[in-house]
Amino acid sequence: MAELCAMDVIFLGSGNVATVLAKMAVDRGHRVAQVYSRSLLNAEELADTVGAAATNRLEAIGRDADLYVSALSDAATLRLPTTLRLLRGVLVHTAGALPVETLEPCAINVGVLYPLQSLRKQKIDYEPFPLLTQANNSDALALVNDFAESLSPVVKSTNNAERLQLHVAAVIANNFSNHLFALAEQYCLQHQLSFDLLKPLIVETATRVVDHAPSQMQTGPAMRGDLVTIATHLNLLGKTPALAQLYATLSASIAGMHGA
Ligand SMILES: NC(=O)c1ccc[n+]([C@@H]2O[C@H](COP(=O)([O-])OP(=O)(O)OC[C@H]3O[C@@H](n4cnc5c(N)ncnc54)[C@H](OP(=O)(O)O)[C@@H]3O)[C@@H](O)[C@H]2O)c1
């Protein structure tokens, strides 16, 4: 991790990303000066854990911070009022899908600090995860990179298009696979089967891709071209057409990739 240049940071938002990044910032020796949230209770909850002041009024946000991190929902970041107008410091958002220019009406120096990890405020310790950075000028980028490098050994400067593409890839790899786990869990529950029995398989599948290309690790009936088994499964899923459709679509995708 880079040598620390301690910064004064203000967080807008008190949800998952704000909580994880604010705690990491304090752990690395930065000062979280203030937490803004539309709910004073939520602002106070995070502010208390990082030794910051709390506010639920945007007009009360301090003007002297080095870095302002907007970890609000995408919709709320898009609606930040121009009256915020920060003349110094850098205002970053943490969204994968919003262009860097989004916050330009609210500050002179704007940027992005996008954590490429699924973050939950209930979890305390994360293995180091990538931070994708961007800014609208070189001084701002240097400051965002300094901060990012103090939090993570993996910092990558990106542009809007690249970050958006990585966000799409992250949704496919993480959100979609988790949804498939949830569907399998639901299916097990419906049939009074224990989802716990599948957990070693899920862990093995996720662990393999650390050292191997996922395309080389595919197994299962669609990969083998085992049409009889696929037909048996689809027949079994007949009463849940949405699941049968998903099974058929994913099997076709696997077969297409592997020429099965
Ligand atoms: N979680 C992740 O894994 C992750 C990873 C990378 C990037 N991101 C990005 O980080 C940002 C925050 O995500 P998150 O997961 O931390 O979200 P979150 O836990 O839902 O927190 C969202 C924050 O925005 C506030 N908010 C929501 N709607 C608002 C509104 N209409 N007006 C004012 N404030 C509002 C919430 O306030 P209340 O507490 O009052 O609801 C909360 O403080 C998003 O841009 C997301 O795309 C998330």
Side-chain angles (χ1 to χ4, degrees), residues 1 4 9-10 26 34 36 47 55-56 65 85 118 122 128 137 140 152 155 161 190 196 213 218-219 224 228 242:
M1 231 108 27
L4 183 74
V9 189
I10 291 181
V26 168
Q34 201 176 22
Y36 157 84
T55 183
N56 61 350
R85 200 61 197 158
S118 175
Q122 293 78 7
N137 65 69
S152 169
V155 174
Q190 280 161 5
D196 283 355
Q218 192 66 55
T219 58
R224 292 189 298 270
V228 176

PDB file of all heavy atoms in Angstrom, residues 1 4 9-10 26 34 36 47 55-56 65 85 118 122 128 137 140 152 155 161 190 196 213 218-219 224 228 242:
ATOM      1  N   MET A   1       0.830  -1.199   0.000  1.00  0.00           N
ATOM      2  CA  MET A   1       0.000   0.000   0.000  1.00  0.00           C
ATOM      3  C   MET A   1       0.874   1.262   0.000  1.00  0.00           C
ATOM      4  O   MET A   1       1.944   1.265   0.597  1.00  0.00           O
ATOM      5  CB  MET A   1      -0.919  -0.012   1.219  1.00  0.00           C
ATOM      6  CG  MET A   1      -2.338   0.213   0.855  1.00  0.00           C
ATOM      7  SD  MET A   1      -3.550  -1.099   0.906  1.00  0.00           S
ATOM      8  CE  MET A   1      -3.063  -2.293   2.075  1.00  0.00           C
ATOM      9  N   LEU A   4       1.194   6.976   3.263  1.00  0.00           N
ATOM     10  CA  LEU A   4      -0.023   7.743   3.485  1.00  0.00           C
ATOM     11  C   LEU A   4       0.191   9.254   3.458  1.00  0.00           C
ATOM     12  O   LEU A   4       1.099   9.784   4.075  1.00  0.00           O
ATOM     13  CB  LEU A   4      -0.623   7.357   4.836  1.00  0.00           C
ATOM     14  CG  LEU A   4      -1.943   8.053   5.132  1.00  0.00           C
ATOM     15  CD1 LEU A   4      -3.054   7.458   4.299  1.00  0.00           C
ATOM     16  CD2 LEU A   4      -2.272   7.978   6.596  1.00  0.00           C
ATOM     17  N   VAL A   9     -11.782  13.769   4.790  1.00  0.00           N
ATOM     18  CA  VAL A   9     -12.770  13.221   3.850  1.00  0.00           C
ATOM     19  C   VAL A   9     -14.173  13.440   4.402  1.00  0.00           C
ATOM     20  O   VAL A   9     -14.399  13.283   5.612  1.00  0.00           O
ATOM     21  CB  VAL A   9     -12.535  11.704   3.635  1.00  0.00           C
ATOM     22  CG1 VAL A   9     -13.406  11.181   2.505  1.00  0.00           C
ATOM     23  CG2 VAL A   9     -11.067  11.420   3.358  1.00  0.00           C
ATOM     24  N   ILE A  10     -15.104  13.781   3.519  1.00  0.00           N
ATOM     25  CA  ILE A  10     -16.514  13.889   3.896  1.00  0.00           C
ATOM     26  C   ILE A  10     -17.303  12.876   3.077  1.00  0.00           C
ATOM     27  O   ILE A  10     -17.107  12.780   1.857  1.00  0.00           O
ATOM     28  CB  ILE A  10     -17.039  15.330   3.663  1.00  0.00           C
ATOM     29  CG1 ILE A  10     -16.384  16.267   4.685  1.00  0.00           C
ATOM     30  CG2 ILE A  10     -18.562  15.380   3.775  1.00  0.00           C
ATOM     31  CD1 ILE A  10     -16.823  17.724   4.581  1.00  0.00           C
ATOM     32  N   VAL A  26     -10.479   5.552   7.831  1.00  0.00           N
ATOM     33  CA  VAL A  26     -10.012   5.830   9.199  1.00  0.00           C
ATOM     34  C   VAL A  26      -8.916   4.847   9.593  1.00  0.00           C
ATOM     35  O   VAL A  26      -7.889   5.239  10.168  1.00  0.00           O
ATOM     36  CB  VAL A  26     -11.208   5.793  10.177  1.00  0.00           C
ATOM     37  CG1 VAL A  26     -10.731   5.790  11.622  1.00  0.00           C
ATOM     38  CG2 VAL A  26     -12.116   6.984   9.928  1.00  0.00           C
ATOM     39  N   GLN A  34     -16.932  14.442   8.327  1.00  0.00           N
ATOM     40  CA  GLN A  34     -18.389  14.606   8.380  1.00  0.00           C
ATOM     41  C   GLN A  34     -19.061  13.506   7.566  1.00  0.00           C
ATOM     42  O   GLN A  34     -18.502  13.011   6.577  1.00  0.00           O
ATOM     43  CB  GLN A  34     -18.727  15.974   7.771  1.00  0.00           C
ATOM     44  CG  GLN A  34     -20.053  16.556   8.154  1.00  0.00           C
ATOM     45  CD  GLN A  34     -20.230  17.962   7.556  1.00  0.00           C
ATOM     46  OE1 GLN A  34     -19.580  18.310   6.564  1.00  0.00           O
ATOM     47  NE2 GLN A  34     -21.088  18.749   8.150  1.00  0.00           N
ATOM     48  N   TYR A  36     -22.827  12.982   5.749  1.00  0.00           N
ATOM     49  CA  TYR A  36     -24.165  13.492   5.414  1.00  0.00           C
ATOM     50  C   TYR A  36     -25.055  12.322   5.041  1.00  0.00           C
ATOM     51  O   TYR A  36     -24.637  11.404   4.319  1.00  0.00           O
ATOM     52  CB  TYR A  36     -24.103  14.464   4.216  1.00  0.00           C
ATOM     53  CG  TYR A  36     -25.446  14.561   3.522  1.00  0.00           C
ATOM     54  CD1 TYR A  36     -26.428  15.436   3.998  1.00  0.00           C
ATOM     55  CD2 TYR A  36     -25.756  13.727   2.442  1.00  0.00           C
ATOM     56  CE1 TYR A  36     -27.682  15.487   3.393  1.00  0.00           C
ATOM     57  CE2 TYR A  36     -27.003  13.782   1.833  1.00  0.00           C
ATOM     58  CZ  TYR A  36     -27.970  14.655   2.317  1.00  0.00           C
ATOM     59  OH  TYR A  36     -29.204  14.689   1.733  1.00  0.00           O
ATOM     60  N   ALA A  47     -21.275   8.217  11.510  1.00  0.00           N
ATOM     61  CA  ALA A  47     -20.369   9.250  12.045  1.00  0.00           C
ATOM     62  C   ALA A  47     -19.783   8.799  13.386  1.00  0.00           C
ATOM     63  O   ALA A  47     -18.588   8.967  13.638  1.00  0.00           O
ATOM     64  CB  ALA A  47     -21.111  10.576  12.192  1.00  0.00           C
ATOM     65  N   THR A  55     -24.603  15.182   9.688  1.00  0.00           N
ATOM     66  CA  THR A  55     -25.615  16.164   9.284  1.00  0.00           C
ATOM     67  C   THR A  55     -26.595  15.526   8.301  1.00  0.00           C
ATOM     68  O   THR A  55     -26.248  14.571   7.609  1.00  0.00           O
ATOM     69  CB  THR A  55     -24.982  17.413   8.625  1.00  0.00           C
ATOM     70  OG1 THR A  55     -26.031  18.347   8.333  1.00  0.00           O
ATOM     71  CG2 THR A  55     -24.236  17.086   7.340  1.00  0.00           C
ATOM     72  N   ASN A  56     -27.814  16.058   8.300  1.00  0.00           N
ATOM     73  CA  ASN A  56     -28.778  15.641   7.270  1.00  0.00           C
ATOM     74  C   ASN A  56     -29.133  16.842   6.376  1.00  0.00           C
ATOM     75  O   ASN A  56     -30.127  16.819   5.671  1.00  0.00           O
ATOM     76  CB  ASN A  56     -30.038  15.035   7.894  1.00  0.00           C
ATOM     77  CG  ASN A  56     -30.776  16.023   8.781  1.00  0.00           C
ATOM     78  OD1 ASN A  56     -30.252  17.109   9.069  1.00  0.00           O
ATOM     79  ND2 ASN A  56     -31.973  15.667   9.203  1.00  0.00           N
ATOM     80  N   ALA A  65     -12.795  20.089   3.046  1.00  0.00           N
ATOM     81  CA  ALA A  65     -12.269  18.724   2.943  1.00  0.00           C
ATOM     82  C   ALA A  65     -11.412  18.578   1.690  1.00  0.00           C
ATOM     83  O   ALA A  65     -11.534  19.350   0.734  1.00  0.00           O
ATOM     84  CB  ALA A  65     -13.422  17.731   2.920  1.00  0.00           C
ATOM     85  N   ARG A  85     -22.192  23.066  -4.968  1.00  0.00           N
ATOM     86  CA  ARG A  85     -21.077  23.779  -5.628  1.00  0.00           C
ATOM     87  C   ARG A  85     -19.792  23.857  -4.787  1.00  0.00           C
ATOM     88  O   ARG A  85     -19.520  24.878  -4.122  1.00  0.00           O
ATOM     89  CB  ARG A  85     -21.550  25.175  -6.039  1.00  0.00           C
ATOM     90  CG  ARG A  85     -20.715  25.807  -7.115  1.00  0.00           C
ATOM     91  CD  ARG A  85     -20.720  25.010  -8.392  1.00  0.00           C
ATOM     92  NE  ARG A  85     -19.636  25.372  -9.291  1.00  0.00           N
ATOM     93  CZ  ARG A  85     -19.166  24.583 -10.242  1.00  0.00           C
ATOM     94  NH1 ARG A  85     -19.685  23.378 -10.430  1.00  0.00           N
ATOM     95  NH2 ARG A  85     -18.189  24.966 -11.018  1.00  0.00           N
ATOM     96  N   SER A 118     -18.455  -6.485  -4.116  1.00  0.00           N
ATOM     97  CA  SER A 118     -19.792  -6.416  -3.540  1.00  0.00           C
ATOM     98  C   SER A 118     -19.636  -6.118  -2.054  1.00  0.00           C
ATOM     99  O   SER A 118     -19.088  -6.936  -1.313  1.00  0.00           O
ATOM    100  CB  SER A 118     -20.502  -7.763  -3.763  1.00  0.00           C
ATOM    101  OG  SER A 118     -21.734  -7.742  -3.104  1.00  0.00           O
ATOM    102  N   GLN A 122     -22.471  -4.662   6.949  1.00  0.00           N
ATOM    103  CA  GLN A 122     -22.396  -5.568   8.096  1.00  0.00           C
ATOM    104  C   GLN A 122     -21.043  -6.283   8.170  1.00  0.00           C
ATOM    105  O   GLN A 122     -20.676  -6.810   9.212  1.00  0.00           O
ATOM    106  CB  GLN A 122     -23.508  -6.629   8.012  1.00  0.00           C
ATOM    107  CG  GLN A 122     -24.921  -6.095   8.158  1.00  0.00           C
ATOM    108  CD  GLN A 122     -25.452  -5.425   6.894  1.00  0.00           C
ATOM    109  OE1 GLN A 122     -24.819  -5.456   5.846  1.00  0.00           O
ATOM    110  NE2 GLN A 122     -26.609  -4.788   7.005  1.00  0.00           N
ATOM    111  N   PRO A 128      -8.257  -7.238   0.110  1.00  0.00           N
ATOM    112  CA  PRO A 128      -8.098  -6.077  -0.779  1.00  0.00           C
ATOM    113  C   PRO A 128      -8.888  -6.254  -2.076  1.00  0.00           C
ATOM    114  O   PRO A 128      -8.916  -7.350  -2.637  1.00  0.00           O
ATOM    115  CB  PRO A 128      -6.595  -6.062  -1.066  1.00  0.00           C
ATOM    116  CG  PRO A 128      -5.981  -6.763   0.092  1.00  0.00           C
ATOM    117  CD  PRO A 128      -6.970  -7.798   0.529  1.00  0.00           C
ATOM    118  N   ASN A 137      -9.614  16.220 -14.120  1.00  0.00           N
ATOM    119  CA  ASN A 137      -8.336  16.912 -14.391  1.00  0.00           C
ATOM    120  C   ASN A 137      -7.214  16.162 -13.686  1.00  0.00           C
ATOM    121  O   ASN A 137      -7.462  15.341 -12.791  1.00  0.00           O
ATOM    122  CB  ASN A 137      -8.402  18.396 -13.980  1.00  0.00           C
ATOM    123  CG  ASN A 137      -8.571  18.583 -12.488  1.00  0.00           C
ATOM    124  OD1 ASN A 137      -7.664  18.307 -11.714  1.00  0.00           O
ATOM    125  ND2 ASN A 137      -9.768  19.040 -12.080  1.00  0.00           N
ATOM    126  N   ALA A 140      -6.807  16.450  -9.798  1.00  0.00           N
ATOM    127  CA  ALA A 140      -7.868  15.714  -9.100  1.00  0.00           C
ATOM    128  C   ALA A 140      -7.594  14.219  -9.168  1.00  0.00           C
ATOM    129  O   ALA A 140      -7.760  13.496  -8.173  1.00  0.00           O
ATOM    130  CB  ALA A 140      -9.234  16.046  -9.718  1.00  0.00           C
ATOM    131  N   SER A 152      -6.076   0.436  -1.108  1.00  0.00           N
ATOM    132  CA  SER A 152      -6.007  -0.830  -1.844  1.00  0.00           C
ATOM    133  C   SER A 152      -4.721  -0.927  -2.650  1.00  0.00           C
ATOM    134  O   SER A 152      -4.252   0.075  -3.193  1.00  0.00           O
ATOM    135  CB  SER A 152      -7.196  -0.910  -2.821  1.00  0.00           C
ATOM    136  OG  SER A 152      -7.019  -1.993  -3.710  1.00  0.00           O
ATOM    137  N   VAL A 155      -5.269  -0.407  -7.784  1.00  0.00           N
ATOM    138  CA  VAL A 155      -5.942   0.825  -8.213  1.00  0.00           C
ATOM    139  C   VAL A 155      -5.750   0.951  -9.711  1.00  0.00           C
ATOM    140  O   VAL A 155      -4.626   0.834 -10.213  1.00  0.00           O
ATOM    141  CB  VAL A 155      -5.355   2.053  -7.490  1.00  0.00           C
ATOM    142  CG1 VAL A 155      -5.957   3.337  -8.042  1.00  0.00           C
ATOM    143  CG2 VAL A 155      -5.592   1.951  -5.992  1.00  0.00           C
ATOM    144  N   ALA A 161     -16.144   4.532 -20.488  1.00  0.00           N
ATOM    145  CA  ALA A 161     -16.556   3.351 -21.266  1.00  0.00           C
ATOM    146  C   ALA A 161     -16.022   2.070 -20.635  1.00  0.00           C
ATOM    147  O   ALA A 161     -16.753   1.084 -20.474  1.00  0.00           O
ATOM    148  CB  ALA A 161     -16.052   3.487 -22.705  1.00  0.00           C
ATOM    149  N   GLN A 190     -38.409 -25.860  -2.009  1.00  0.00           N
ATOM    150  CA  GLN A 190     -39.686 -26.386  -2.529  1.00  0.00           C
ATOM    151  C   GLN A 190     -39.733 -27.911  -2.469  1.00  0.00           C
ATOM    152  O   GLN A 190     -40.797 -28.509  -2.371  1.00  0.00           O
ATOM    153  CB  GLN A 190     -39.888 -25.937  -3.981  1.00  0.00           C
ATOM    154  CG  GLN A 190     -40.406 -24.517  -4.110  1.00  0.00           C
ATOM    155  CD  GLN A 190     -40.156 -23.955  -5.509  1.00  0.00           C
ATOM    156  OE1 GLN A 190     -39.674 -24.661  -6.406  1.00  0.00           O
ATOM    157  NE2 GLN A 190     -40.468 -22.689  -5.691  1.00  0.00           N
ATOM    158  N   ASP A 196     -27.624 -26.528   1.833  1.00  0.00           N
ATOM    159  CA  ASP A 196     -26.264 -26.661   2.403  1.00  0.00           C
ATOM    160  C   ASP A 196     -25.445 -27.708   1.647  1.00  0.00           C
ATOM    161  O   ASP A 196     -24.215 -27.585   1.545  1.00  0.00           O
ATOM    162  CB  ASP A 196     -26.335 -27.069   3.878  1.00  0.00           C
ATOM    163  CG  ASP A 196     -26.704 -25.884   4.761  1.00  0.00           C
ATOM    164  OD1 ASP A 196     -26.797 -24.756   4.230  1.00  0.00           O
ATOM    165  OD2 ASP A 196     -26.909 -26.096   5.972  1.00  0.00           O
ATOM    166  N   ALA A 213      -8.977 -20.144 -16.295  1.00  0.00           N
ATOM    167  CA  ALA A 213      -9.979 -19.442 -17.099  1.00  0.00           C
ATOM    168  C   ALA A 213     -11.321 -20.162 -16.922  1.00  0.00           C
ATOM    169  O   ALA A 213     -11.384 -21.385 -17.084  1.00  0.00           O
ATOM    170  CB  ALA A 213      -9.576 -19.456 -18.564  1.00  0.00           C
ATOM    171  N   GLN A 218     -15.615 -25.307 -17.414  1.00  0.00           N
ATOM    172  CA  GLN A 218     -17.038 -25.654 -17.521  1.00  0.00           C
ATOM    173  C   GLN A 218     -17.242 -27.165 -17.432  1.00  0.00           C
ATOM    174  O   GLN A 218     -16.487 -27.936 -18.026  1.00  0.00           O
ATOM    175  CB  GLN A 218     -17.587 -25.136 -18.862  1.00  0.00           C
ATOM    176  CG  GLN A 218     -19.093 -25.185 -18.973  1.00  0.00           C
ATOM    177  CD  GLN A 218     -19.759 -24.214 -17.992  1.00  0.00           C
ATOM    178  OE1 GLN A 218     -19.461 -23.032 -17.993  1.00  0.00           O
ATOM    179  NE2 GLN A 218     -20.643 -24.720 -17.159  1.00  0.00           N
ATOM    180  N   THR A 219     -18.235 -27.562 -16.672  1.00  0.00           N
ATOM    181  CA  THR A 219     -18.642 -28.978 -16.618  1.00  0.00           C
ATOM    182  C   THR A 219     -20.159 -29.034 -16.809  1.00  0.00           C
ATOM    183  O   THR A 219     -20.799 -28.003 -17.007  1.00  0.00           O
ATOM    184  CB  THR A 219     -18.267 -29.616 -15.257  1.00  0.00           C
ATOM    185  OG1 THR A 219     -18.906 -28.871 -14.221  1.00  0.00           O
ATOM    186  CG2 THR A 219     -16.762 -29.623 -15.020  1.00  0.00           C
ATOM    187  N   ARG A 224     -21.224 -31.353 -22.057  1.00  0.00           N
ATOM    188  CA  ARG A 224     -20.956 -32.698 -22.601  1.00  0.00           C
ATOM    189  C   ARG A 224     -21.848 -33.028 -23.787  1.00  0.00           C
ATOM    190  O   ARG A 224     -21.698 -34.063 -24.407  1.00  0.00           O
ATOM    191  CB  ARG A 224     -21.189 -33.751 -21.498  1.00  0.00           C
ATOM    192  CG  ARG A 224     -20.189 -33.712 -20.355  1.00  0.00           C
ATOM    193  CD  ARG A 224     -20.362 -34.929 -19.443  1.00  0.00           C
ATOM    194  NE  ARG A 224     -21.679 -34.971 -18.815  1.00  0.00           N
ATOM    195  CZ  ARG A 224     -21.957 -34.412 -17.636  1.00  0.00           C
ATOM    196  NH1 ARG A 224     -21.013 -33.778 -16.961  1.00  0.00           N
ATOM    197  NH2 ARG A 224     -23.163 -34.490 -17.134  1.00  0.00           N
ATOM    198  N   VAL A 228     -30.045 -36.225 -23.378  1.00  0.00           N
ATOM    199  CA  VAL A 228     -31.054 -37.002 -22.634  1.00  0.00           C
ATOM    200  C   VAL A 228     -31.207 -36.432 -21.226  1.00  0.00           C
ATOM    201  O   VAL A 228     -32.334 -36.220 -20.741  1.00  0.00           O
ATOM    202  CB  VAL A 228     -30.649 -38.508 -22.579  1.00  0.00           C
ATOM    203  CG1 VAL A 228     -31.624 -39.304 -21.730  1.00  0.00           C
ATOM    204  CG2 VAL A 228     -30.579 -39.078 -23.983  1.00  0.00           C
ATOM    205  N   ALA A 242     -40.553 -20.460 -15.864  1.00  0.00           N
ATOM    206  CA  ALA A 242     -39.501 -19.425 -15.879  1.00  0.00           C
ATOM    207  C   ALA A 242     -38.127 -20.069 -15.635  1.00  0.00           C
ATOM    208  O   ALA A 242     -37.135 -19.714 -16.290  1.00  0.00           O
ATOM    209  CB  ALA A 242     -39.785 -18.364 -14.819  1.00  0.00           C
TER     210      ALA A 242
END
